[in-house]
């Protein structure tokens, strides 16, 4: 007994020394993660609303994970899966954060299951292929973190009989179990249903108020619709509608030209490439008033833009140039016109030999952030504005037949998606089932089909969002990944 007592004391001392040698403060963690924040911060994804929203939600969950690690006595280490869009570096650039470019990004997914700040920081940096050298300059005595694997840094390994005799838990066994444990839909709903129900119940009066305000303003101004670019909370949306209502009362004459249009609350004011009136949520009534007063000029520019699209179409054998709000960056009318004009001038100078009307029925969108053309599952081409004319011609010719086939499947796929959403909503008695813009129709279809095979009484009356990760939104919406297990 004395022998085991001595070993127990020795282990406690050793583990305490090891823990202290690997301790990282919250401030140190923030400094160590600075390159990561530069690579994923939502402010750098202003022209990519889908990617920005994914990063915003993932950062919230990451911050919660880091905060929990710093709480005394915190022991609930459930693996947390995160997805980030990471900005690519400029070619041949240094490791400085400023070397990141907004011209491209890549999706990175990883699972956190570490028990201390240092291991977590190193896991994040390694998962995103970011340097960890600067971490060594902090006041932390640790070995380089290789291959983003979390291991217990122990100088000696006690025999398993020691833990059986003393009743203490083997830290290596605990860690291996955490690594093996994977979040499943059922287990996650078990853990989060109560919280979601409570938040949803609290938000119900505000949801009714939002619907009332939206209906009244739409009817009063004869608007086609009122939308939001980002997933702001219900209270935030109500506040924005109240603000617009006050402007209607104070300056009704400036809103005479909005009839039949869509108002979108977003990050900046103006008119969007899709022809919607954008009201910046950070702008005051004075800025909104200026936008409403400029509407006649915006309508004139819109006519010029449509003419420019027709000219591009003539040069490309009749292919239709379109703007898809859900898939393209949120551009102002002026920005989109400049984009089209630049592309038109390149085409006109290159004199590509497209036979007139040979590509009628096909569609394309322009993207200033891509370097290679691509074909979407819905059949439209995504063409970079700086695409080499010869490459453009070859790609369209090579993919024309596939594009036509995808266009034919588009209506069928959208119909299938809607039917599955309706069937799932009815089976689980959901109040609402929807998806994030970054989730494709194919992903949504697969997700719903698998959901329909399950029995999920937890979902009755809930708002369910198909996303890329698990989370409970502030108003009680349940977010599940499309590839849930």
């Amino acid at each position: 007994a004395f022998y085991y007592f001595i070993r127990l004391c020795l282990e406690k001392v050793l583990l305490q020394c090891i823990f202290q040698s690997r301790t990282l403060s919250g401030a140190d963690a923030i400094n160590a993660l600075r390159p990561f924040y530069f690579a994923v911060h939502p402010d750098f994804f202003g022209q990519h609303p889908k990617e920005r929203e994914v990063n915003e939600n993932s950062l919230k969950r990451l911050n919660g994970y880091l905060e929990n690690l710093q709480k005394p006595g915190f022991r609930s280490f459930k693996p947390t899966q995160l997805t980030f869009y990471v900005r690519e570096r400029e070619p041949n650039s240094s490791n400085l954060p400023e070397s990141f470019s907004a011209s491209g990004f890549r999706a990175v997914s990883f699972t956190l299951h570490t028990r201390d700040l240092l291991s977590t920081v190193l896991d994040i940096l390694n998962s995103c292929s970011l340097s960890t050298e600067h971490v060594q300059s902090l006041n932390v005595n640790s070995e380089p973190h290789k291959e983003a694997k979390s291991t217990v840094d122990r100088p000696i390994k006690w025999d398993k009989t020691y833990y059986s005799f003393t009743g203490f838990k083997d830290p290596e066994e605990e860690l291996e179990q955490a690594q093996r444990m994977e979040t499943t839909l059922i287990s996650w709903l078990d853990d989060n249903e109560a919280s979601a129900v409570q938040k949803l119940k609290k938000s119900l009066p505000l949801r009714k108020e939002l619907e009332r305000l939206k209906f009244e303003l739409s009817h009063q101004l004869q608007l086609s619709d009122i939308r939001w670019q980002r997933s702001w909370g219900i209270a935030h949306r109500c506040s924005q509608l109240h603000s617009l209502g006050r402007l209607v009362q104070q300056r009704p004459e400036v809103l005479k030209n909005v009839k039949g249009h869509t108002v979108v609350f977003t990050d900046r004011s103006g008119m969007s490439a899709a022809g919607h009136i954008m009201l910046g949520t950070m702008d005051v009534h004075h800025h909104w008033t200026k936008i409403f007063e400029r509407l006649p000029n915006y309508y004139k520019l819109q006519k010029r833009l449509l003419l420019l699209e027709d000219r591009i179409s003539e040069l490309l054998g009749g292919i239709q140039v379109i703007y898809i709000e859900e898939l393209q960056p949120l551009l102002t009318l002026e920005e989109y016109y400049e984009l089209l004009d630049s592309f038109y001038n390149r085409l006109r100078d290159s004199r590509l030999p497209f036979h007139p009307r040979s590509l009628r029925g096909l569609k394309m969108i322009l993207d200033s952030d891509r370097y290679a053309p691509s074909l979407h599952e819905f059949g439209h081409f995504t063409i970079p504005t700086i695409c080499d004319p010869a490459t453009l011609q070859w790609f369209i010719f090579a993919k024309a037949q596939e594009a036509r086939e995808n266009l034919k499947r588009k209506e069928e796929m959208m119909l299938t998606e809607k039917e599955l959403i309706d069937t799932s909503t009815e089976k689980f008695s959901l109040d609402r089932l929807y998806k994030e813009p970054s989730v494709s129709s194919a992903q949504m279809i697969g997700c719903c089909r698998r959901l329909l095979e399950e029995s999920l009484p937890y979902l009755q009356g809930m708002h369910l969002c198909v996303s890329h990760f698990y989370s409970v939104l502030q108003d009680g919406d349940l977010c599940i990944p499309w590839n849930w297990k």
Side-chain angles (χ1 to χ4, degrees), residues 308 311-312 314-316 340-354 389 392:
L308 193 53
R311 289 177 177 172
I312 293 173
E314 291 175 2
L315 293 175
L316 292 178
L340 287 171
D341 189 52
S342 172
F343 184 71
Y344 170 71
N345 290 329
R346 288 173 60 85
L347 281 180
R348 185 185 57 189
D349 296 339
S350 65
R351 300 182 181 275
L352 292 176
F354 283 100
L392 171 63

PDB file of all heavy atoms in Angstrom, residues 308 311-312 314-316 340-354 389 392:
ATOM      1  N   LEU A 308     -25.835  46.020 -71.996  1.00  0.00           N
ATOM      2  CA  LEU A 308     -24.474  45.491 -72.005  1.00  0.00           C
ATOM      3  C   LEU A 308     -24.494  43.956 -71.950  1.00  0.00           C
ATOM      4  O   LEU A 308     -23.702  43.291 -72.618  1.00  0.00           O
ATOM      5  CB  LEU A 308     -23.694  46.063 -70.819  1.00  0.00           C
ATOM      6  CG  LEU A 308     -22.179  45.887 -70.792  1.00  0.00           C
ATOM      7  CD1 LEU A 308     -21.540  46.392 -72.081  1.00  0.00           C
ATOM      8  CD2 LEU A 308     -21.582  46.603 -69.579  1.00  0.00           C
ATOM      9  N   ARG A 311     -25.184  42.653 -75.385  1.00  0.00           N
ATOM     10  CA  ARG A 311     -24.016  42.745 -76.280  1.00  0.00           C
ATOM     11  C   ARG A 311     -23.028  41.604 -76.017  1.00  0.00           C
ATOM     12  O   ARG A 311     -22.447  41.033 -76.952  1.00  0.00           O
ATOM     13  CB  ARG A 311     -23.333  44.102 -76.088  1.00  0.00           C
ATOM     14  CG  ARG A 311     -24.134  45.273 -76.643  1.00  0.00           C
ATOM     15  CD  ARG A 311     -23.444  46.586 -76.356  1.00  0.00           C
ATOM     16  NE  ARG A 311     -24.168  47.704 -76.936  1.00  0.00           N
ATOM     17  CZ  ARG A 311     -23.868  48.991 -76.706  1.00  0.00           C
ATOM     18  NH1 ARG A 311     -22.860  49.296 -75.881  1.00  0.00           N
ATOM     19  NH2 ARG A 311     -24.577  49.949 -77.278  1.00  0.00           N
ATOM     20  N   ILE A 312     -22.825  41.287 -74.738  1.00  0.00           N
ATOM     21  CA  ILE A 312     -21.942  40.159 -74.395  1.00  0.00           C
ATOM     22  C   ILE A 312     -22.530  38.867 -74.941  1.00  0.00           C
ATOM     23  O   ILE A 312     -21.816  38.013 -75.487  1.00  0.00           O
ATOM     24  CB  ILE A 312     -21.750  40.073 -72.869  1.00  0.00           C
ATOM     25  CG1 ILE A 312     -20.956  41.281 -72.362  1.00  0.00           C
ATOM     26  CG2 ILE A 312     -21.035  38.776 -72.478  1.00  0.00           C
ATOM     27  CD1 ILE A 312     -20.863  41.364 -70.853  1.00  0.00           C
ATOM     28  N   GLU A 314     -24.373  38.459 -77.567  1.00  0.00           N
ATOM     29  CA  GLU A 314     -24.184  38.399 -79.023  1.00  0.00           C
ATOM     30  C   GLU A 314     -22.781  37.922 -79.376  1.00  0.00           C
ATOM     31  O   GLU A 314     -22.595  37.167 -80.335  1.00  0.00           O
ATOM     32  CB  GLU A 314     -24.446  39.772 -79.631  1.00  0.00           C
ATOM     33  CG  GLU A 314     -25.907  40.206 -79.574  1.00  0.00           C
ATOM     34  CD  GLU A 314     -26.097  41.629 -80.068  1.00  0.00           C
ATOM     35  OE1 GLU A 314     -25.076  42.246 -80.495  1.00  0.00           O
ATOM     36  OE2 GLU A 314     -27.226  42.141 -80.015  1.00  0.00           O
ATOM     37  N   LEU A 315     -21.785  38.359 -78.585  1.00  0.00           N
ATOM     38  CA  LEU A 315     -20.405  37.960 -78.867  1.00  0.00           C
ATOM     39  C   LEU A 315     -20.136  36.500 -78.503  1.00  0.00           C
ATOM     40  O   LEU A 315     -19.186  35.905 -79.012  1.00  0.00           O
ATOM     41  CB  LEU A 315     -19.435  38.870 -78.091  1.00  0.00           C
ATOM     42  CG  LEU A 315     -19.389  40.346 -78.520  1.00  0.00           C
ATOM     43  CD1 LEU A 315     -18.485  41.136 -77.587  1.00  0.00           C
ATOM     44  CD2 LEU A 315     -18.896  40.468 -79.957  1.00  0.00           C
ATOM     45  N   LEU A 316     -20.967  35.932 -77.631  1.00  0.00           N
ATOM     46  CA  LEU A 316     -20.754  34.559 -77.170  1.00  0.00           C
ATOM     47  C   LEU A 316     -21.812  33.603 -77.709  1.00  0.00           C
ATOM     48  O   LEU A 316     -22.213  32.647 -77.026  1.00  0.00           O
ATOM     49  CB  LEU A 316     -20.737  34.517 -75.632  1.00  0.00           C
ATOM     50  CG  LEU A 316     -19.545  35.193 -74.945  1.00  0.00           C
ATOM     51  CD1 LEU A 316     -19.679  35.135 -73.432  1.00  0.00           C
ATOM     52  CD2 LEU A 316     -18.235  34.544 -75.386  1.00  0.00           C
ATOM     53  N   LEU A 340     -19.086  43.959 -66.008  1.00  0.00           N
ATOM     54  CA  LEU A 340     -19.587  43.603 -67.335  1.00  0.00           C
ATOM     55  C   LEU A 340     -18.870  44.381 -68.430  1.00  0.00           C
ATOM     56  O   LEU A 340     -18.518  43.822 -69.483  1.00  0.00           O
ATOM     57  CB  LEU A 340     -21.096  43.879 -67.413  1.00  0.00           C
ATOM     58  CG  LEU A 340     -22.019  42.924 -66.656  1.00  0.00           C
ATOM     59  CD1 LEU A 340     -23.446  43.477 -66.665  1.00  0.00           C
ATOM     60  CD2 LEU A 340     -21.992  41.535 -67.264  1.00  0.00           C
ATOM     61  N   ASP A 341     -18.653  45.657 -68.180  1.00  0.00           N
ATOM     62  CA  ASP A 341     -18.017  46.506 -69.184  1.00  0.00           C
ATOM     63  C   ASP A 341     -16.584  46.045 -69.469  1.00  0.00           C
ATOM     64  O   ASP A 341     -16.150  45.978 -70.623  1.00  0.00           O
ATOM     65  CB  ASP A 341     -18.024  47.960 -68.699  1.00  0.00           C
ATOM     66  CG  ASP A 341     -17.568  48.937 -69.779  1.00  0.00           C
ATOM     67  OD1 ASP A 341     -18.122  48.883 -70.899  1.00  0.00           O
ATOM     68  OD2 ASP A 341     -16.641  49.718 -69.512  1.00  0.00           O
ATOM     69  N   SER A 342     -15.843  45.705 -68.411  1.00  0.00           N
ATOM     70  CA  SER A 342     -14.478  45.216 -68.574  1.00  0.00           C
ATOM     71  C   SER A 342     -14.461  43.901 -69.345  1.00  0.00           C
ATOM     72  O   SER A 342     -13.632  43.708 -70.252  1.00  0.00           O
ATOM     73  CB  SER A 342     -13.828  45.028 -67.192  1.00  0.00           C
ATOM     74  OG  SER A 342     -12.578  44.399 -67.299  1.00  0.00           O
ATOM     75  N   PHE A 343     -15.372  43.006 -69.018  1.00  0.00           N
ATOM     76  CA  PHE A 343     -15.447  41.714 -69.696  1.00  0.00           C
ATOM     77  C   PHE A 343     -15.843  41.904 -71.168  1.00  0.00           C
ATOM     78  O   PHE A 343     -15.293  41.244 -72.066  1.00  0.00           O
ATOM     79  CB  PHE A 343     -16.456  40.824 -68.985  1.00  0.00           C
ATOM     80  CG  PHE A 343     -16.547  39.425 -69.534  1.00  0.00           C
ATOM     81  CD1 PHE A 343     -15.518  38.512 -69.350  1.00  0.00           C
ATOM     82  CD2 PHE A 343     -17.671  39.007 -70.230  1.00  0.00           C
ATOM     83  CE1 PHE A 343     -15.595  37.223 -69.854  1.00  0.00           C
ATOM     84  CE2 PHE A 343     -17.758  37.719 -70.738  1.00  0.00           C
ATOM     85  CZ  PHE A 343     -16.719  36.826 -70.548  1.00  0.00           C
ATOM     86  N   TYR A 344     -16.768  42.799 -71.418  1.00  0.00           N
ATOM     87  CA  TYR A 344     -17.228  43.065 -72.788  1.00  0.00           C
ATOM     88  C   TYR A 344     -16.084  43.583 -73.653  1.00  0.00           C
ATOM     89  O   TYR A 344     -15.905  43.158 -74.806  1.00  0.00           O
ATOM     90  CB  TYR A 344     -18.370  44.077 -72.759  1.00  0.00           C
ATOM     91  CG  TYR A 344     -18.749  44.598 -74.127  1.00  0.00           C
ATOM     92  CD1 TYR A 344     -19.405  43.797 -75.055  1.00  0.00           C
ATOM     93  CD2 TYR A 344     -18.433  45.911 -74.498  1.00  0.00           C
ATOM     94  CE1 TYR A 344     -19.745  44.286 -76.322  1.00  0.00           C
ATOM     95  CE2 TYR A 344     -18.765  46.411 -75.748  1.00  0.00           C
ATOM     96  CZ  TYR A 344     -19.422  45.581 -76.658  1.00  0.00           C
ATOM     97  OH  TYR A 344     -19.754  46.059 -77.908  1.00  0.00           O
ATOM     98  N   ASN A 345     -15.277  44.480 -73.116  1.00  0.00           N
ATOM     99  CA  ASN A 345     -14.156  45.044 -73.876  1.00  0.00           C
ATOM    100  C   ASN A 345     -13.127  43.970 -74.219  1.00  0.00           C
ATOM    101  O   ASN A 345     -12.563  43.969 -75.321  1.00  0.00           O
ATOM    102  CB  ASN A 345     -13.498  46.181 -73.088  1.00  0.00           C
ATOM    103  CG  ASN A 345     -14.400  47.405 -72.996  1.00  0.00           C
ATOM    104  OD1 ASN A 345     -15.195  47.658 -73.909  1.00  0.00           O
ATOM    105  ND2 ASN A 345     -14.290  48.154 -71.911  1.00  0.00           N
ATOM    106  N   ARG A 346     -12.878  43.039 -73.292  1.00  0.00           N
ATOM    107  CA  ARG A 346     -11.944  41.945 -73.565  1.00  0.00           C
ATOM    108  C   ARG A 346     -12.477  41.046 -74.676  1.00  0.00           C
ATOM    109  O   ARG A 346     -11.739  40.617 -75.564  1.00  0.00           O
ATOM    110  CB  ARG A 346     -11.706  41.115 -72.292  1.00  0.00           C
ATOM    111  CG  ARG A 346     -10.868  41.803 -71.235  1.00  0.00           C
ATOM    112  CD  ARG A 346     -10.844  40.982 -69.953  1.00  0.00           C
ATOM    113  NE  ARG A 346     -10.278  39.654 -70.152  1.00  0.00           N
ATOM    114  CZ  ARG A 346      -8.987  39.371 -70.120  1.00  0.00           C
ATOM    115  NH1 ARG A 346      -8.117  40.342 -69.882  1.00  0.00           N
ATOM    116  NH2 ARG A 346      -8.559  38.141 -70.296  1.00  0.00           N
ATOM    117  N   LEU A 347     -13.773  40.760 -74.597  1.00  0.00           N
ATOM    118  CA  LEU A 347     -14.384  39.909 -75.624  1.00  0.00           C
ATOM    119  C   LEU A 347     -14.355  40.579 -76.994  1.00  0.00           C
ATOM    120  O   LEU A 347     -14.034  39.951 -78.011  1.00  0.00           O
ATOM    121  CB  LEU A 347     -15.839  39.593 -75.245  1.00  0.00           C
ATOM    122  CG  LEU A 347     -16.084  38.518 -74.198  1.00  0.00           C
ATOM    123  CD1 LEU A 347     -17.582  38.365 -73.961  1.00  0.00           C
ATOM    124  CD2 LEU A 347     -15.483  37.188 -74.613  1.00  0.00           C
ATOM    125  N   ARG A 348     -14.702  41.845 -77.005  1.00  0.00           N
ATOM    126  CA  ARG A 348     -14.772  42.577 -78.281  1.00  0.00           C
ATOM    127  C   ARG A 348     -13.414  42.628 -78.951  1.00  0.00           C
ATOM    128  O   ARG A 348     -13.302  42.466 -80.171  1.00  0.00           O
ATOM    129  CB  ARG A 348     -15.295  43.994 -78.006  1.00  0.00           C
ATOM    130  CG  ARG A 348     -15.535  44.843 -79.254  1.00  0.00           C
ATOM    131  CD  ARG A 348     -15.919  46.246 -78.856  1.00  0.00           C
ATOM    132  NE  ARG A 348     -14.883  46.831 -77.997  1.00  0.00           N
ATOM    133  CZ  ARG A 348     -15.029  47.998 -77.357  1.00  0.00           C
ATOM    134  NH1 ARG A 348     -16.161  48.689 -77.472  1.00  0.00           N
ATOM    135  NH2 ARG A 348     -14.058  48.476 -76.612  1.00  0.00           N
ATOM    136  N   ASP A 349     -12.370  42.822 -78.156  1.00  0.00           N
ATOM    137  CA  ASP A 349     -11.019  42.907 -78.726  1.00  0.00           C
ATOM    138  C   ASP A 349     -10.507  41.542 -79.181  1.00  0.00           C
ATOM    139  O   ASP A 349      -9.688  41.457 -80.106  1.00  0.00           O
ATOM    140  CB  ASP A 349     -10.048  43.500 -77.696  1.00  0.00           C
ATOM    141  CG  ASP A 349     -10.398  44.941 -77.336  1.00  0.00           C
ATOM    142  OD1 ASP A 349     -11.108  45.594 -78.143  1.00  0.00           O
ATOM    143  OD2 ASP A 349      -9.976  45.399 -76.254  1.00  0.00           O
ATOM    144  N   SER A 350     -10.965  40.465 -78.546  1.00  0.00           N
ATOM    145  CA  SER A 350     -10.456  39.135 -78.890  1.00  0.00           C
ATOM    146  C   SER A 350     -11.123  38.559 -80.133  1.00  0.00           C
ATOM    147  O   SER A 350     -10.569  37.676 -80.789  1.00  0.00           O
ATOM    148  CB  SER A 350     -10.677  38.178 -77.723  1.00  0.00           C
ATOM    149  OG  SER A 350     -12.061  37.977 -77.497  1.00  0.00           O
ATOM    150  N   ARG A 351     -12.353  39.016 -80.440  1.00  0.00           N
ATOM    151  CA  ARG A 351     -13.098  38.566 -81.627  1.00  0.00           C
ATOM    152  C   ARG A 351     -13.182  37.033 -81.695  1.00  0.00           C
ATOM    153  O   ARG A 351     -12.735  36.402 -82.653  1.00  0.00           O
ATOM    154  CB  ARG A 351     -12.451  39.110 -82.901  1.00  0.00           C
ATOM    155  CG  ARG A 351     -12.400  40.623 -82.958  1.00  0.00           C
ATOM    156  CD  ARG A 351     -11.808  41.113 -84.261  1.00  0.00           C
ATOM    157  NE  ARG A 351     -11.738  42.563 -84.288  1.00  0.00           N
ATOM    158  CZ  ARG A 351     -12.743  43.356 -84.659  1.00  0.00           C
ATOM    159  NH1 ARG A 351     -13.896  42.832 -85.021  1.00  0.00           N
ATOM    160  NH2 ARG A 351     -12.605  44.678 -84.671  1.00  0.00           N
ATOM    161  N   LEU A 352     -13.730  36.438 -80.655  1.00  0.00           N
ATOM    162  CA  LEU A 352     -13.885  34.986 -80.620  1.00  0.00           C
ATOM    163  C   LEU A 352     -14.873  34.524 -81.697  1.00  0.00           C
ATOM    164  O   LEU A 352     -15.935  35.136 -81.872  1.00  0.00           O
ATOM    165  CB  LEU A 352     -14.396  34.542 -79.244  1.00  0.00           C
ATOM    166  CG  LEU A 352     -13.418  34.707 -78.069  1.00  0.00           C
ATOM    167  CD1 LEU A 352     -14.111  34.321 -76.776  1.00  0.00           C
ATOM    168  CD2 LEU A 352     -12.178  33.858 -78.280  1.00  0.00           C
ATOM    169  N   PRO A 353     -14.542  33.440 -82.401  1.00  0.00           N
ATOM    170  CA  PRO A 353     -15.379  32.981 -83.525  1.00  0.00           C
ATOM    171  C   PRO A 353     -16.558  32.117 -83.078  1.00  0.00           C
ATOM    172  O   PRO A 353     -16.636  30.927 -83.397  1.00  0.00           O
ATOM    173  CB  PRO A 353     -14.388  32.172 -84.366  1.00  0.00           C
ATOM    174  CG  PRO A 353     -13.430  31.610 -83.374  1.00  0.00           C
ATOM    175  CD  PRO A 353     -13.303  32.639 -82.271  1.00  0.00           C
ATOM    176  N   PHE A 354     -17.497  32.689 -82.300  1.00  0.00           N
ATOM    177  CA  PHE A 354     -18.705  31.957 -81.929  1.00  0.00           C
ATOM    178  C   PHE A 354     -19.760  32.157 -83.013  1.00  0.00           C
ATOM    179  O   PHE A 354     -20.017  33.287 -83.444  1.00  0.00           O
ATOM    180  CB  PHE A 354     -19.260  32.460 -80.587  1.00  0.00           C
ATOM    181  CG  PHE A 354     -18.509  31.962 -79.391  1.00  0.00           C
ATOM    182  CD1 PHE A 354     -17.579  32.767 -78.755  1.00  0.00           C
ATOM    183  CD2 PHE A 354     -18.734  30.687 -78.893  1.00  0.00           C
ATOM    184  CE1 PHE A 354     -16.888  32.314 -77.650  1.00  0.00           C
ATOM    185  CE2 PHE A 354     -18.034  30.228 -77.786  1.00  0.00           C
ATOM    186  CZ  PHE A 354     -17.108  31.033 -77.161  1.00  0.00           C
ATOM    187  N   PRO A 389      -9.379  34.367 -73.428  1.00  0.00           N
ATOM    188  CA  PRO A 389     -10.425  34.137 -74.431  1.00  0.00           C
ATOM    189  C   PRO A 389     -10.372  32.747 -75.065  1.00  0.00           C
ATOM    190  O   PRO A 389     -11.407  32.110 -75.264  1.00  0.00           O
ATOM    191  CB  PRO A 389     -10.169  35.239 -75.466  1.00  0.00           C
ATOM    192  CG  PRO A 389      -9.508  36.334 -74.690  1.00  0.00           C
ATOM    193  CD  PRO A 389      -8.671  35.638 -73.666  1.00  0.00           C
ATOM    194  N   LEU A 392     -11.613  30.266 -72.598  1.00  0.00           N
ATOM    195  CA  LEU A 392     -13.053  30.432 -72.478  1.00  0.00           C
ATOM    196  C   LEU A 392     -13.783  29.716 -73.612  1.00  0.00           C
ATOM    197  O   LEU A 392     -14.742  28.964 -73.385  1.00  0.00           O
ATOM    198  CB  LEU A 392     -13.400  31.923 -72.480  1.00  0.00           C
ATOM    199  CG  LEU A 392     -14.886  32.286 -72.586  1.00  0.00           C
ATOM    200  CD1 LEU A 392     -15.645  31.762 -71.375  1.00  0.00           C
ATOM    201  CD2 LEU A 392     -15.053  33.794 -72.710  1.00  0.00           C
TER     202      LEU A 392
END
